[in-house]
């Protein structure tokens, strides 16, 4: 299923969605104090959000030949506990055999006051309608996933002791396959955050890990945007072809 999803992200619709999601994640990460970011789930071409300053980024996925830093199961992350400032979950809950365990792993590796940003398809949108139709006519990724509503994801995060801080939607365009149609409908993205939160094809949930006795860090400054590509040395099944991974000298530090 993971390979099928990666392939879909290389279609016109998948590319358009990946670009929109990376832009939104970049904006949200800009307001957080992060020195280490782990992205669970790769887009079809290994896209990553833009990061700031000396923030390091590692991409984890079960994609042996993909453009990732660490090949691993999201439900069993080869990372130390409380070692990561931010975790990005890219459409993993929908296709995980155990989404609860995946979120437990996310909570485990998050450092105190760290953030998790979860992207998931909205079942109460035109994308959800398209998935329902696919179930009748035969389906393939991304329509084979189990789409979870915003309230379900919020409940899971709260049960893990995470505080939900932000909920929003994106990608108001319908799930059309042709690039020209998607470009023609691009002005729909200016309908506003309220419409996107209700009818957007994707939900973004941002939550924070609060720990008693910890003092929250001040918001990060906003230096010039800079894309950072890093690696994770010492973790199981690090992708050999990633030079950044070979040059790194340690995993993420909290």
């Amino acid at each position: 299923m993971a390979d099928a999803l990666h392939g879909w992200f290389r279609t016109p619709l998948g590319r358009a969605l990946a670009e929109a999601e990376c832009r939104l994640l970049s904006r949200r990460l800009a307001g957080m104090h992060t020195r280490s970011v782990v992205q669970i789930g790769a887009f079809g071409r290994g896209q990553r959000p833009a990061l700031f300053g000396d923030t390091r980024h590692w991409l984890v996925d079960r994609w042996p030949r993909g453009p990732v830093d660490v090949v691993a199961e999201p439900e069993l992350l080869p990372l130390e506990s409380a070692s990561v400032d931010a975790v990005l979950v890219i459409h993993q809950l929908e296709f995980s055999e155990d989404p609860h365990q995946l979120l437990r792993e996310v909570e485990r590796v998050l450092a105190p006051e760290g953030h998790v940003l979860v992207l998931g398809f909205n079942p109460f949108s035109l994308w959800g309608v398209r998935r329902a139709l696919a179930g009748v006519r035969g389906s393939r990724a991304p329509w084979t996933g189990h789409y979870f509503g915003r309230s379900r994801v919020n409940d899971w995060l709260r049960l893990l002791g995470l505080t939900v801080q932000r909920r929003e939607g994106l990608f108001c365009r319908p799930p059309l396959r042709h690039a020209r149609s998607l470009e023609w409908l691009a002005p729909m993205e200016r309908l506003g955050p309220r419409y996107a939160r209700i009818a957007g094809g994707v939900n973004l949930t941002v939550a924070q890990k609060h720990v008693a006795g910890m003092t929250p860090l001040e918001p990060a400054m906003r230096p010039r945007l800079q894309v950072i590509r890093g690696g994770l040395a010492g973790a199981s099944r690090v992708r050999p072809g990633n030079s950044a991974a070979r040059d790194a000298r340690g995993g993420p530090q909290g």
Side-chain angles (χ1 to χ4, degrees), residues 176-215:
L176 303 176
R177 288 187 289 180
H178 301 293
R180 182 172 297 180
S181 299
L182 291 167
E183 292 174 3
W184 186 73
L185 293 174
M188 292 184 65
E189 303 304 331
R190 297 196 292 267
L191 291 174
R194 183 175 181 181
Y195 180 86
R197 186 175 182 272
I198 298 172
V202 173
N203 292 325
L204 172 65
T205 304
V206 181
Q208 188 172 20
K209 180 179 181 178
H210 292 301
V211 177
M214 297 295 297
T215 301

Side-chain angles (χ1 to χ4, degrees), residues 78-91:
L79 304 173
E80 294 183 0
S81 298
S83 64
V84 181
D85 294 322
V87 178
L88 315 178
V89 182
I90 311 297
H91 298 288

Side-chain angles (χ1 to χ4, degrees), residues 8 17 91 94-95 119-123 127 142 147-148 201-203:
W8 176 80
L17 181 63
H91 298 288
E94 301 99 302
F95 302 97
L119 284 171
F121 292 111
N122 179 9
W127 290 64
Y147 294 5
F148 297 106
V202 173
N203 292 325

Side-chain angles (χ1 to χ4, degrees), residues 96-209:
S96 172
E97 294 183 0
D98 192 346
H100 303 265
Q101 173 60 23
L102 193 157
L103 289 178
R104 282 193 290 268
E105 277 292 273
V106 169
E107 189 277 334
R108 179 185 67 79
V109 303
L110 267 183
E113 307 307 319
H115 290 82
V116 55
L117 295 83
V118 181
L119 284 171
F121 292 111
N122 179 9
F124 308 111
S125 68
L126 291 176
W127 290 64
V129 173
R130 172 67 177 82
R131 173 181 174 272
L133 293 175
V136 175
R137 303 175 182 175
S139 60
R140 53 187 176 180
W143 318 116
T144 49
H146 188 167
Y147 294 5
F148 297 106
R150 184 183 290 112
S151 59
R152 177 75 63 85
V153 176
N154 293 348
D155 289 344
W156 287 346
L157 293 171
R158 291 188 179 110
L159 285 173
L160 291 170
L162 302 173
T163 302
V164 175
Q165 293 186 324
R166 190 182 191 102
R167 296 171 294 182
E168 58 189 306
L170 70 150
F171 213 87
C172 299
R173 283 170 282 179
L176 303 176
R177 288 187 289 180
H178 301 293
R180 182 172 297 180
S181 299
L182 291 167
E183 292 174 3
W184 186 73
L185 293 174
M188 292 184 65
E189 303 304 331
R190 297 196 292 267
L191 291 174
R194 183 175 181 181
Y195 180 86
R197 186 175 182 272
I198 298 172
V202 173
N203 292 325
L204 172 65
T205 304
V206 181
Q208 188 172 20
K209 180 179 181 178

